Amino acid sequence: MRQPWPLDKKVVRSAEKNFKSGDLQTALSDIEAATADPETGVDPETYLIKAQIETKMFGSDSSNTKQTYEVGQAALATFMKAFEMGVAIKKMVSEKISGKKMY
């Protein structure tokens, strides 16, 4: 269900703050809300922060269970999404500046 108001960067900043203070579950909840927002959900930085949170969660769990493995896999997938979004944005900007289609 869509929020009736834009989350904007406040939720992303809250996620960063909670990440830095070690409240990883709250940070993950915040950043997942931000990925669903039309403004922050298209920003690669949002996904980079999410990947950092997931990586920290993966690294702090030494149980070596299937669930731990899945958290690590999610972190890798999120890093890749952030990277791909960044490349796509760079490509669009380059095309706009040069007026030529890139690859």
Side-chain angles (χ1 to χ4, degrees):
M1 186 171 137
R2 173 98 169 82
Q3 298 281 0
W5 64 92
L7 295 170
D8 63 59
K9 297 282 184 175
K10 290 178 187 175
V11 176
V12 175
R13 286 191 301 270
S14 175
E16 287 179 297
K17 179 182 161 213
N18 287 314
F19 170 66
K20 289 176 183 174
S21 72
D23 188 355
L24 301 179
Q25 270 316 126
T26 303
L28 186 60
S29 293
D30 287 346
I31 207 68
E32 284 177 345
T35 62
D37 181 74
E39 181 184 341
T40 55
V42 295
D43 186 351
E45 181 71 20
T46 302
Y47 288 89
L48 182 59
I49 294 165
K50 182 178 180 188
Q52 291 171 326
I53 294 165
E54 291 169 333
T55 300
K56 184 83 166 197
M57 293 174 91
F58 172 72
S60 65
D61 185 351
S62 61
S63 64
N64 295 325
T65 64
K66 181 180 177 188
Q67 184 178 3
T68 306
Y69 172 78
E70 290 170 351
V71 170
Q73 288 293 100
L76 176 59
T78 306
F79 268 119
M80 292 305 296
K81 181 173 180 110
F83 176 76
E84 290 166 2
M85 289 174 78
V87 169
I89 289 170
K90 183 178 179 182
K91 180 181 170 190
M92 287 188 315
V93 169
S94 295
E95 288 174 359
K96 193 168 194 165
I97 291 171
S98 70
K100 298 177 184 175
K101 283 276 189 195
M102 303 284 290
Y103 25 98

